[in-house]
Amino acid sequence: MAFSFLARDAGRTHVCGHRGYSLHYPENTLPAFEAAKAAGATTVEIDVVLTADGEPIILHDLTVDRTTDGHGFAADLRLEQIRKLDAGVRFHPAFAGTKIPTLAEALDWAKADDMGLVLEIKEAERPDIAVDCVAALLRSTGTVDRVIVISFDHVVLKRAVERHPGLRTEAITHARHADLVGVLKACSASSVSIELDMFRPDGAKALHAEGFSNRVHVPRPDVLAEYWRGGRDRLPELVQWIADGLMDTISGDDVPFIAMLVSRAARAGSASPR
């Protein structure tokens, strides 16, 4: 049975660890992915760039400076050089020795652990080549059914679907569009990624009516606390939207927090009169 990103087909709202459990583990690493699953995630969001020799690796930035002990653009480093970098020690000494994973390693992990992957194309210089490499790996590893490819670049997504029929894609948008369904149809995407501030129930219903899914990124509790301190609690409506089946995936850095929201919504849904 194919992995579905639509809550109504999957029978659950997915919990998505943004770059894994990135709040307490080094982002985009296998320890972060494993911790996300342990905390309740059913999917993880990862980022892909290419090395100088064309290997897809899991890295958010174009350079390795922020997250590793190395320096330079990933596109200028060969895989063997990337493998020598420490992707954990900058986050915390306890993670010293953690490596930047290849996409192949992430796919093997997702398949073995029955997880979905939300795969963002971050490659800037060779995005179409990156998509082709990703699609080839998905086919060779038998993981096409559990991956959705996402990007801010909707033109890249459109070309990706044209070249690779059957590839599922998700368009990232940080705006509330007047015709969100039209936006997805224009780039042949099957899902949209939006921020919580841009979510509206009527928009979700319009998406679902056309067979599209959504992924809603929820801020960390410390950010939401600004609302609470001002006497505004966003959680009740958020939990109700999840309970009503309007949100297909909830994404965030604090995986236990979003898992708690989904669990609370499940209880609220089961307690509601039918």
Side-chain angles (χ1 to χ4, degrees):
M1 182 175 175
F3 190 100
S4 178
F5 291 89
L6 262 171
R8 70 186 181 207
D9 294 339
R12 63 189 177 188
T13 296
H14 286 293
V15 173
C16 180
H18 183 236
R19 307 180 202 171
Y21 188 179
S22 56
L23 188 62
H24 292 303
Y25 293 80
E27 65 178 59
N28 276 323
T29 65
L30 290 174
F33 303 157
E34 291 163 356
K37 180 181 179 181
T42 52
T43 65
V44 294
E45 187 266 356
I46 63 176
D47 303 287
V48 170
V49 299
L50 296 178
T51 63
D53 42 353
E55 182 73 28
I57 60 171
I58 311 304
L59 185 71
H60 178 273
D61 301 352
L62 299 182
T63 72
V64 298
D65 297 51
R66 178 177 63 87
T67 56
T68 80
D69 60 350
H71 173 70
F73 284 88
D76 294 334
L77 301 172
R78 299 184 307 279
L79 179 60
E80 64 176 309
Q81 295 173 292
I82 292 287
R83 295 302 254 173
K84 294 177 182 177
L85 301 179
D86 192 317
V89 70
R90 277 186 181 271
F91 186 86
H92 192 280
F95 297 105
T98 301
K99 302 302 180 185
I100 294 175
T102 63
L103 175 58
E105 290 170 335
L107 293 174
D108 286 345
W109 171 80
K111 189 173 184 179
D113 283 48
D114 193 25
M115 294 286 286
L117 290 181
V118 180
L119 190 159
E120 183 172 353
I121 302 296
K122 282 292 188 182
E123 173 63 35
E125 299 173 358
R126 299 164 289 172
D128 291 320
I129 293 176
V131 168
D132 292 344
C133 290
V134 167
L137 264 176
L138 297 186
R139 289 192 297 269
S140 66
T141 57
T143 52
V144 174
D145 66 330
R146 65 178 61 252
V147 174
I148 190 163
V149 175
I150 73 173
S151 179
F152 283 95
D153 192 330
H154 297 184
V155 177
V156 166
L157 292 181
K158 183 175 176 61
R159 290 199 296 255
V161 175
E162 290 170 349
R163 292 196 309 281
H164 305 285
L167 187 69
R168 286 183 292 186
T169 60
E170 179 174 280
I172 307 174
T173 175
H174 284 339
R176 188 181 176 208
H177 291 276
D179 182 9
L180 188 52
V181 168
V183 169
L184 298 190
K185 287 183 176 179
C187 63
S188 302
S190 59
S191 184
V192 65
S193 173
I194 58 177
E195 300 294 317
L196 178 60
D197 285 347
M198 296 294 105
F199 179 86
R200 298 294 187 278
D202 57 345
K205 291 174 183 176
L207 289 171
H208 287 164
E210 295 286 342
F212 297 111
S213 62
N214 62 61
R215 181 171 65 98
V216 182
H217 189 78
V218 175
R220 299 188 311 270
D222 61 307
V223 176
L224 291 173
E226 294 298 323
Y227 288 91
W228 300 331
R229 283 193 283 269
R232 293 168 172 81
D233 187 356
R234 302 209 62 186
L235 294 192
E237 65 177 1
L238 173 54
V239 168
Q240 190 59 55
W241 290 334
I242 300 170
D244 290 343
L246 297 176
M247 294 180 168
D248 298 293
T249 298
I250 309 298
S251 179
D253 300 332
D254 192 333
V255 178
F257 173 66
I258 56 176
M260 175 275 293
L261 295 177
V262 172
S263 178
R264 185 185 296 181
R267 293 194 299 271
S270 63
S272 298
R274 301 296 180 185

